Amino acid sequence: MQLQYQGSPFSDPGFSAPELQLSSLPPAVVSFKTWHALDDRERLSHAQGAFLALTQHLQLVGDDQRDLNPGSPMLLAQIGAARLRAQGLLGNMAAIMTALGLPIPPEEDTLGVVPFGASAFERKCRGYVVTREYGHWTDRAVRDLALLKAKYPG
Amino acid sequence: MALFSVFQTTFLLALLSLRTYQSEVLSEPLPWAPESLRVFINSTHQCLHLQWSVHNLAHHQELKMVFQIEISRIKTSNVIWVENYSTTVKWNQVLHWSWESKLPLECAKHFIRMRSAVDDAKTPEQSFWSNWSSWEEVHVQNSLGHDPFFVFPKDKLVEEGSNVTICYVSRSQPNNISCYLEGVRMQGEQLEPNVSVFNLNHVAFIRETGTNIYCKGDQGDSIKGIVLFVSKVLEEPKDFSCETQDLTTLNCTWDPRSDTGLLKQLSQSYTLFESFSGKKTLCKHKSWCSWEVAPESQEMYNFTLTAENYLRKRSVHLLFNLTHRVHPMAPFSVLFTDVSATNATMTWKVHTTGNYYTLLCQVELYGEGEVIQRNVSVEVDGKQLFGGLKPDTEYRAQVRCANANHFWKWSEWTRQNFTTAEAAPSEAPDVWRNVKSVQGHSVVTLFWKPLSKLQANGKILFYNIVIENLDRSSISKLLSIPAPANGTELNLDQCLYQIHVTANNSVGTSPASVIIVSGDPGNKEVEEERVKGMEDGFSLSWKPQPGNVTGYIVEWCDHPRGPLCDLQWKSVGPTTTSTVVSSDAFRPGVQYNFRIYGISTERVPYLLEKKTGYSQELDDAVCCKYRIDNPKQKTFVVENLQPESFYEFLVTPYTSVGEGPHGAFTKVTTPDEYSPILIRIILPMVFCILLIMIICYLKSQWMKEKCYPDIPDPYKSSVLSLIKSKENPRLTIMSIKDCVPDSIEVLNKQEGTRKSLTETESSKATYLYLLPTEKSYSGPGPCICFENFTYNQAASDSASCGHVPVAPVAPLSQLGLLTSPENLLKALEKNYMNSLGEIPAGETNLNYVSQLASAMSGDKFILPTNPPEPALCSEYKMQMAIPLGLASPPSSGSSSLSSVTLLDEGEHYH
């Protein structure tokens, strides 16, 4: 939905640009072998790190879109809701890690000074990457938690 | 020759020395050459700002100079811009000059140099160019990052219709980079091996959030792009106008035209500047602005309205005199005083707008179909008298005002309604009477028509009737009939009476309508004449009366066939001898009778003529006319009438001259056509059916024996004849008493012979196993064989049983569970398990002991739980006596014959 507001090429049907990445945001795509070989601590800390970065990036994208699409309150509300969900998941993960006796990585500023001075097109691009990675990380988090649940029943 | 050679050498030397001298003179630095040239880059605006200074100027010295500036692109030899910049240079001054590049500065290197010349009459000897400064190189690409390519310019804001140049700069070459504008690939030209340029002409506005232009390489490189913000062109404000309502505030309005707002740019702003006062205000609204009028009563105003956005300004001007732009506020306190039946005074107030001019007010009054318009000059309060109004009428008044001296605009209307007072009714009611003589008395029914609104002048409350006995003038009687009655009945004696009828409203009484009534109804026998109705009514005419008449009255009934004839009348003047009577109540095919009365000067009506006719004669209305020639005949049968139809009959005598008068019609409705016929048919039919039913009931046993006996008699069967005709003449019919009946026993066992598979299964519901599966025993498959020896002896010999595989059937007790596929699956599973494994103990088993099996065991009371031999199939045989030689003995082996197995195999054969 976010893409529909950005104009061509983002709003073109079937738009996909996997080559677009943000150095400050870890990609969710991982080979099954690598993913399966992760231990619980790595698995949870990867996801925890990703969602920590996502909450900050979604805040940034929300600010970007407030400038780019001020007349689309629905879009802004959805980005805000996504950020709150990411924060909620982050809290749950911290609780799981505590329960498993794993150390919780300290909260870091993942963005730094990167976001300032970006052009409108760059802001559209990073909005795309952040929302795409948010979806991928959510899918991956579901798999991660399902695996943990199977491992620690009850 | 040698001499010539020496001369030539000398000349060359001289020439050389001269050139050297000249060169020295030229190379001498100009005292006012540009120095300290610095170039600043503004990428956002694609601008180069040059800054330099001129040294060696004396203190307070001013010099007019020309600076020639040269700009090259890519390489110094490729000069793309030369400009002479003239200015006056002062001592210690830093000079500036800017240049905007069409090509984004990031797309190519730029080189700038300049030289100067004095262009001053004071120092004409210095008027030649200085040396060029050294080339200053501008190379923005150096500061780019490490991405494979870049697109420029970033986030550019342009007006619709302008031309834009875009480029991409690639780090690698060759590159296969394609660029797109809103999804359409753009064709570019190569500027350098790693730079391509795209010229966009007349860019169009697409959306407020900008137009995306992006490039991507075929190597799966990242997408790079820019957003081009194309704004609409700022237009001049239209219809700029200022006016005041109160001479203290000016309200200026205009049509702002299209909004040029974008994400990158706010909507255009508007400022109002007044040149006489020198004041300026920033307007808060897009289409209007308020301006406080100066207290020192400035009369002339010269306004400039300026619209401005990021790219451009537009202005309009307006010069006016304040008093010529007065748009008064709507009048208020509109009141009506001294409202009588025909006059009213309207007053209103206007807002004071200074004391030096008057207002022109327009007053309009709308009554019933009339409009009164007045123009009134007003200073503070307005007043207008309206006369000649209609009583009891609602009027709608409205007033608006404008500057009387310099008309600019009317104010809004202010509206107010009022109603004039009532007046006494102006006309006498139109009165008529009907007189009937009943037992020596006159029953006089008075009718009057309600006055029209114009005549009533108010609401009629009652009608006064004064009855004056003319024979005995002393006696008079007053009746008051409340409205809205339109008539009354009076019982009078045979005297002559004068009746006055007046209508009364709250104000007064109408003129009286006078009518003379005598005991004689005045219905003297006059000749009745036929008239023919027309489309618009009946055209009636009568002979003028020789004597003095005050008028004529035509009387008729709107509904002559109804019980209330609905008496109508029409009054005409004394000179009129014809009229057209029309009424909405007139119907085709109905005969109407008209009576024409003359009114004498004594106001006594007397009958003059009678007319009769149809407004429209219908063919089917008078359907037939019979002439009865025998004057003594008193009965007549009318035949061939339509059933269920309404007829009217009239019998009138005739003579050789013509028909007599038409009396009242006799009304007859013919009965229904089918009822008698139906009764004639239905009644006998009902009787017949009842009779048959009674007979059937009485003879029911006999009927049953005959038609549907409980046990068919084989001797009477047609089968017998068929058998007899075959080759087995020995076949006989078995007698019923020879038959051994089958028995069904229900066994309820508490313990099974084998242990059940699971404990839970022992408590399962009762199952009825009609057939076991093949695996439940080792013998041949289950079968249901119906063998009929009577019909097929050969089949029985060959023991060809029809093996009918039957799937396990869900037990009855489980059917309730089979509502979902899972339940069905469970049920099937259970059945198969039971079939495969052991049958649980404690089950009720239904044992069918066939007559054959019991005959074989020789003891029909023996429990079939332990049959002498495992019988795979029980057998069912037709109850037919079979000769021994032909009957195949019941087999206990594999050659099972027709059999029905109802036993639980699991229980009995394991």
Side-chain angles (χ1 to χ4, degrees):
Chain A
M1 157 146 184
Q2 191 257 359
L3 294 177
Q4 297 308 311
Y5 290 88
Q6 314 305 325
S8 179
F10 305 101
S11 59
D12 295 345
F15 171 75
S16 171
E19 67 275 9
L20 282 178
Q21 295 288 348
L22 285 173
S23 58
S24 52
L25 192 62
V29 177
V30 64
S31 74
F32 179 75
K33 198 179 163 191
T34 313
W35 175 75
H36 210 265
L38 295 171
D39 62 24
D40 295 344
R41 192 190 61 79
E42 288 168 329
R43 194 183 308 283
L44 279 168
S45 80
H46 283 188
Q48 206 266 353
F51 276 94
L52 180 63
L54 277 171
T55 53
Q56 295 173 17
H57 280 78
L58 283 167
Q59 179 73 62
L60 172 69
V61 170
D63 292 351
D64 285 346
Q65 294 298 322
R66 191 164 287 113
D67 281 347
L68 293 170
N69 288 295
S72 309
M74 196 190 285
L75 171 68
L76 303 178
Q78 283 190 345
I79 293 170
R83 184 173 59 81
L84 288 177
R85 277 200 280 271
Q87 265 176 349
L89 190 58
L90 203 57
N92 291 339
M93 276 183 190
I96 293 168
M97 291 172 89
T98 311
L100 293 178
L102 300 173
I104 299 169
E107 197 162 307
E108 292 172 344
D109 181 8
T110 56
L111 286 167
V113 292
V114 174
F116 304 109
S119 73
F121 195 84
E122 284 163 352
R123 291 194 284 172
K124 287 181 181 185
C125 284
R126 76 182 172 204
Y128 159 70
V129 174
V130 170
T131 48
R132 182 192 67 196
E133 290 302 323
Y134 173 69
H136 289 172
W137 269 112
T138 307
D139 291 345
R140 185 169 158 182
V142 169
R143 289 206 308 273
D144 288 347
L145 294 175
L147 194 73
L148 281 172
K149 192 186 170 195
K151 208 182 268 187
Y152 304 98
Chain B
M1 186 69 195
L3 183 67
F4 176 73
S5 199
V6 167
F7 178 76
Q8 191 182 30
T9 307
T10 310
F11 177 75
L12 279 172
L13 279 171
L15 193 68
L16 193 65
S17 64
L18 183 69
R19 279 183 63 86
T20 308
Y21 170 76
Q22 275 184 339
S23 169
E24 277 174 5
V25 167
L26 286 175
S27 63
E28 182 185 333
L30 189 81
W32 302 299
E35 289 177 13
S36 313
L37 174 64
R38 293 176 68 189
V39 181
F40 300 95
I41 305 155
N42 184 339
S43 281
T44 313
H45 293 96
Q46 296 178 204
C47 270
L48 291 177
H49 294 289
L50 273 60
Q51 180 186 311
W52 70 98
S53 55
V54 177
H55 289 183
N56 301 330
L57 271 174
H59 195 56
H60 298 306
Q61 184 184 5
E62 283 189 7
L63 205 58
K64 281 180 79 178
M65 291 185 74
V66 180
F67 299 93
Q68 190 170 60
I69 302 160
E70 237 180 38
I71 299 173
S72 302
R73 184 170 285 161
I74 303 168
K75 53 189 179 187
T76 51
S77 58
N78 178 30
V79 176
I80 57 161
W81 194 267
V82 178
E83 186 175 325
N84 289 338
Y85 169 57
S86 298
T87 186
T88 305
V89 185
K90 294 173 190 167
W91 174 76
N92 228 4
Q93 185 184 2
V94 179
L95 293 149
H96 297 274
W97 180 81
S98 289
W99 175 74
E100 186 186 344
S101 171
K102 284 199 168 59
L103 184 75
L105 296 172
E106 295 89 344
C107 300
K109 281 183 194 172
H110 287 81
F111 301 92
I112 301 107
R113 66 175 183 177
M114 65 164 40
R115 59 183 181 178
S116 64
V118 175
D119 183 24
D120 207 317
K122 290 180 273 183
T123 54
E125 70 278 6
Q126 296 289 344
S127 57
F128 50 85
W129 286 114
S130 72
N131 289 341
W132 285 105
S133 68
S134 58
W135 286 104
E136 289 290 326
E137 184 182 323
V138 176
H139 191 23
V140 189
Q141 288 177 18
N142 290 337
S143 59
L144 298 177
H146 301 288
D147 289 344
F149 67 96
F150 304 89
V151 185
F152 298 105
K154 286 186 176 180
D155 299 354
K156 191 166 177 65
L157 172 63
V158 293
E159 270 185 345
E160 195 174 26
S162 53
N163 300 333
V164 181
T165 305
I166 291 161
C167 78
Y168 71 77
V169 180
S170 168
R171 292 216 169 274
S172 60
Q173 29 176 306
N175 55 73
N176 280 316
I177 295 170
S178 317
C179 293
Y180 302 85
L181 167 68
E182 288 292 316
V184 179
R185 188 170 174 177
M186 301 187 293
Q187 292 301 322
E189 52 189 80
Q190 201 156 20
L191 192 68
E192 284 187 81
N194 65 329
V195 177
S196 278
V197 172
F198 303 89
N199 290 308
L200 307 178
N201 295 326
H202 306 292
V203 288
F205 171 84
I206 294 178
R207 64 181 81 83
E208 286 180 4
T209 53
T211 307
N212 292 337
I213 295 166
Y214 66 98
C215 304
K216 62 180 179 185
D218 60 354
Q219 305 293 320
D221 295 332
S222 185
I223 289 177
K224 289 276 181 178
I226 62 162
V227 181
L228 188 67
F229 293 95
V230 182
S231 86
K232 290 184 178 166
V233 180
L234 180 65
E235 293 170 283
E236 233 177 42
K238 251 179 83 180
D239 304 330
F240 178 43
S241 168
C242 295
E243 63 184 27
T244 181
Q245 286 199 309
D246 51 9
L247 291 174
T248 59
T249 307
L250 266 168
N251 186 35
C252 297
T253 57
W254 60 89
D255 174 5
R257 316 285 285 273
S258 53
D259 187 353
T260 64
L262 289 177
L263 288 175
K264 274 287 278 184
Q265 166 183 280
L266 294 171
S267 295
Q268 65 266 31
S269 63
Y270 291 90
T271 48
L272 204 54
F273 172 71
E274 204 282 306
S275 63
F276 294 121
S277 61
K279 285 182 186 168
K280 191 175 184 178
T281 185
L282 179 67
C283 299
K284 290 175 189 164
H285 307 278
K286 274 180 68 180
S287 62
W288 62 274
C289 205
S290 285
W291 183 271
E292 294 300 318
V293 171
E296 56 270 20
S297 67
Q298 174 189 353
E299 270 200 25
M300 293 304 295
Y301 286 81
N302 186 9
F303 278 112
T304 303
L305 175 69
T306 305
E308 183 176 0
N309 69 7
Y310 187 75
L311 297 166
R312 171 195 295 271
K313 278 184 183 184
R314 294 273 198 174
S315 294
V316 284
H317 305 277
L318 185 67
L319 175 71
F320 60 88
N321 186 322
L322 183 67
T323 55
H324 296 185
R325 298 295 173 106
V326 178
H327 182 190
M329 281 188 266
F332 63 102
S333 292
V334 177
L335 295 171
F336 289 91
T337 53
D338 306 330
V339 179
S340 70
T342 53
N343 296 318
T345 304
M346 178 179 174
T347 61
W348 66 95
K349 291 181 189 301
V350 291
H351 295 271
T352 50
T353 49
N355 51 7
Y356 55 90
Y357 74 100
T358 54
L359 290 175
L360 174 71
C361 292
Q362 196 174 53
V363 185
E364 285 181 356
L365 196 65
Y366 295 88
E368 296 201 341
E370 61 176 332
V371 184
I372 302 166
Q373 200 175 61
R374 301 273 188 278
N375 287 333
V376 190
S377 186
V378 173
E379 287 192 355
V380 181
D381 293 341
K383 187 175 181 181
Q384 175 65 40
L385 173 71
F386 292 102
L389 305 180
K390 290 175 186 158
D392 190 38
T393 301
E394 187 178 25
Y395 285 89
R396 183 162 57 85
Q398 58 183 20
V399 58
R400 63 179 180 179
C401 301
N403 188 354
N405 303 323
H406 303 282
F407 181 86
W408 169 242
K409 276 179 190 172
W410 286 112
S411 72
E412 296 296 308
W413 288 106
T414 302
R415 297 186 170 87
Q416 186 69 41
N417 292 3
F418 73 99
T419 305
T420 49
E422 289 189 359
S426 58
E427 295 283 332
D430 188 0
V431 178
W432 186 234
R433 92 293 176 265
N434 183 29
V435 183
K436 279 186 272 184
S437 286
V438 180
Q439 295 170 350
H441 281 79
S442 294
V443 177
V444 177
T445 312
L446 285 177
F447 302 96
W448 57 83
K449 292 176 183 170
L451 293 176
S452 70
K453 194 176 180 311
L454 205 62
Q455 298 164 334
N457 287 342
K459 190 185 178 191
I460 299 298
L461 301 174
F462 56 92
Y463 294 90
N464 274 345
I465 298 163
V466 178
I467 305 155
E468 192 181 346
N469 192 326
L470 295 180
D471 296 339
R472 287 169 282 174
S473 59
S474 58
I475 301 173
S476 65
K477 190 177 168 187
L478 173 70
L479 288 175
S480 190
I481 313 289
N486 60 355
T488 188
E489 200 170 84
L490 308 170
N491 282 310
L492 304 174
D493 55 22
Q494 296 293 331
C495 296
L496 198 64
Y497 286 94
Q498 178 169 289
I499 301 173
H500 303 250
V501 181
T502 55
N504 297 265
N505 62 16
S506 64
V507 178
T509 302
S510 72
S513 187
V514 182
I515 192 165
I516 306 289
V517 175
S518 68
D520 174 21
N523 296 341
K524 63 173 183 178
E525 287 303 318
V526 292
E527 191 180 321
E528 188 176 68
E529 194 183 325
R530 289 229 162 212
V531 289
K532 199 170 181 187
M534 295 174 300
E535 267 186 29
D536 54 345
F538 291 90
S539 182
L540 307 172
S541 61
W542 53 92
K543 295 184 193 88
Q545 292 304 297
N548 285 332
V549 287
T550 57
Y552 298 96
I553 284 183
V554 181
E555 173 196 277
W556 74 95
C557 288
D558 257 357
H559 304 286
R561 289 173 178 176
L564 299 167
C565 88
D566 195 6
L567 185 73
Q568 306 290 320
W569 71 96
K570 186 176 181 183
S571 308
V572 294
T575 55
T576 310
T577 57
S578 67
T579 186
V580 173
V581 174
S582 56
S583 167
D584 293 337
F586 288 161
R587 294 285 175 266
V590 178
Q591 193 179 31
Y592 293 96
N593 301 309
F594 300 92
R595 293 156 182 263
I596 297 151
Y597 293 87
I599 310 292
S600 70
T601 47
E602 293 82 25
R603 297 179 185 276
V604 179
Y606 54 95
L607 185 65
L608 295 176
E609 289 181 29
K610 279 186 181 177
K611 313 266 181 188
T612 184
Y614 296 87
S615 67
Q616 187 189 338
E617 287 193 20
L618 294 180
D619 293 337
D620 58 345
V622 179
C623 62
C624 45
K625 198 168 183 177
Y626 300 94
R627 183 180 286 264
I628 303 160
D629 294 329
N630 183 3
K632 291 181 180 172
Q633 186 176 338
K634 298 294 183 215
T635 59
F636 184 77
V637 177
V638 182
E639 289 174 334
N640 299 326
L641 297 180
Q642 296 290 321
E644 283 187 285
S645 298
F646 177 77
Y647 289 94
E648 288 184 327
F649 295 94
L650 173 75
V651 181
T652 187
Y654 74 94
T655 62
S656 57
V657 178
E659 287 181 13
H662 288 185
F665 279 82
T666 307
K667 298 167 179 63
V668 172
T669 304
T670 51
D672 184 8
E673 186 182 16
Y674 300 105
S675 316
I677 301 167
L678 283 174
I679 287 168
R680 248 177 271 158
I681 294 169
I682 288 169
L683 270 180
M685 277 184 71
V686 169
F687 180 73
C688 286
I689 290 165
L690 272 175
L691 198 68
I692 290 165
M693 283 173 73
I694 290 165
I695 291 168
C696 288
Y697 178 73
L698 292 174
K699 293 285 180 186
S700 59
Q701 274 307 113
W702 178 80
M703 287 283 288
K704 193 179 174 190
E705 290 288 329
K706 273 289 172 198
C707 300
Y708 304 105
D710 283 343
I711 302 162
D713 190 349
Y715 289 101
K716 292 174 185 173
S717 170
S718 57
V719 174
L720 196 64
S721 60
L722 192 74
I723 294 168
K724 278 180 178 170
S725 68
K726 302 269 174 163
E727 68 268 20
N728 288 327
R730 286 168 293 180
L731 283 172
T732 53
I733 304 297
M734 194 176 78
S735 174
I736 295 168
K737 62 180 178 285
D738 297 337
C739 292
V740 180
D742 292 357
S743 66
I744 293 176
E745 296 173 24
V746 176
L747 303 178
N748 193 3
K749 286 203 157 189
Q750 292 305 318
E751 290 178 2
T753 52
R754 298 277 178 96
K755 200 183 175 193
S756 58
L757 280 175
T758 60
E759 288 298 317
T760 50
E761 280 184 355
S762 64
S763 61
K764 285 281 162 61
T766 304
Y767 296 106
L768 174 63
Y769 287 90
L770 282 174
L771 280 171
T773 58
E774 282 187 31
K775 288 187 179 179
S776 59
Y777 61 96
S778 55
C783 54
I784 302 174
C785 301
F786 296 95
E787 187 186 18
N788 193 327
F789 294 106
T790 313
Y791 303 138
N792 193 348
Q793 186 67 42
S796 73
D797 287 341
S798 63
S800 67
C801 292
H803 285 248
V804 183
V806 179
V809 178
L812 283 172
S813 54
Q814 285 189 342
L815 283 176
L817 292 168
L818 300 180
T819 49
S820 64
E822 293 92 334
N823 288 341
L824 181 63
L825 216 64
K826 276 182 196 165
L828 288 172
E829 198 176 30
K830 198 167 289 172
N831 249 348
Y832 275 114
M833 282 172 74
N834 283 345
S835 305
L836 290 168
E838 299 292 338
I839 296 304
E843 292 191 339
T844 302
N845 298 307
L846 188 67
N847 292 343
Y848 173 80
V849 184
S850 82
Q851 57 184 5
L852 230 66
S854 65
M856 185 178 68
S857 67
D859 184 3
K860 61 183 177 182
F861 295 109
I862 196 163
L863 280 174
T865 46
N866 292 311
E869 286 182 57
L872 290 176
C873 293
S874 298
E875 294 174 344
Y876 172 80
K877 301 258 180 180
M878 283 291 286
Q879 293 183 352
M880 191 178 280
I882 303 169
L884 282 170
L886 281 171
S888 160
S891 169
S892 59
S894 60
S895 61
S896 59
L897 296 178
S898 310
S899 60
V900 174
T901 302
L902 285 170
L903 290 169
D904 176 30
E905 300 291 337
E907 182 66 28
H908 296 282
Y909 301 123
H910 281 267

